[in-house]
Amino acid sequence: EVQLVESGGGLVQPGGSLRLSCAASGFTFSSYAMSWVRQAPGKGLEWVSAINSGGGSTSYADSVKGRFTISRDNAKNTLYLQMNSLRPDDTAVYYCAARFPGHELPSRPDEYTYWGQGTQVTVSS
């Protein structure tokens, strides 16, 4: 059974930092591209960042470039998102998603096959 389990969300003040994790199981994690996608209240899915299967190639939405860093540890089957300089408009449910083949980094959420259940990030003073 494929499972993606996000963790690390919470309430943080503007300018603060959070690190999200996504633990994967049930598929060959090291063969899949991974992505973070978010959904703000009342809005649609927004792609945030992606990383290829080996971890050597990444891409970011303009809205988070320079503030967020995606990474992965294939030995631990875990994906990460380091979020710095958080702003209120970063408030959303954050999902991790997986796609095969692992060398492609699409920015459309519907191109990803497996999804986690999400973790809430709230940026507020």
Side-chain angles (χ1 to χ4, degrees):
E1 178 190 5
V2 170
Q3 282 197 314
L4 293 170
V5 180
E6 300 94 337
S7 61
L11 173 64
V12 62
Q13 292 188 340
S17 298
L18 280 176
R19 188 194 196 201
L20 305 184
S21 299
C22 171
S25 62
F27 65 102
T28 307
F29 180 74
S30 60
S31 296
Y32 280 67
M34 298 297 297
S35 188
W36 288 98
V37 178
R38 67 186 181 185
Q39 186 167 29
K43 296 189 177 181
L45 294 172
E46 177 191 14
W47 172 81
V48 173
S49 182
I51 187 167
N52 71 338
S53 54
S57 181
T58 59
S59 61
Y60 297 91
D62 287 343
S63 58
V64 307
K65 201 171 293 183
R67 300 187 299 122
F68 291 10
T69 302
I70 191 171
S71 62
R72 66 190 296 162
D73 186 335
N74 285 345
K76 295 183 178 179
N77 286 356
T78 303
L79 174 73
Y80 303 100
L81 185 69
Q82 178 67 42
M83 304 187 296
N84 299 329
S85 302
L86 282 161
R87 310 186 303 217
D89 61 0
D90 293 317
T91 294
V93 177
Y94 283 72
Y95 300 92
C96 64
R99 184 183 189 276
F100 186 86
H103 64 277
E104 298 177 352
L105 299 179
S107 58
R108 284 178 47 176
D110 62 2
E111 301 242 26
Y112 289 83
T113 305
Y114 301 137
W115 289 77
Q117 85 291 344
T119 185
Q120 177 70 48
V121 171
T122 302
V123 185
S124 175
S125 55

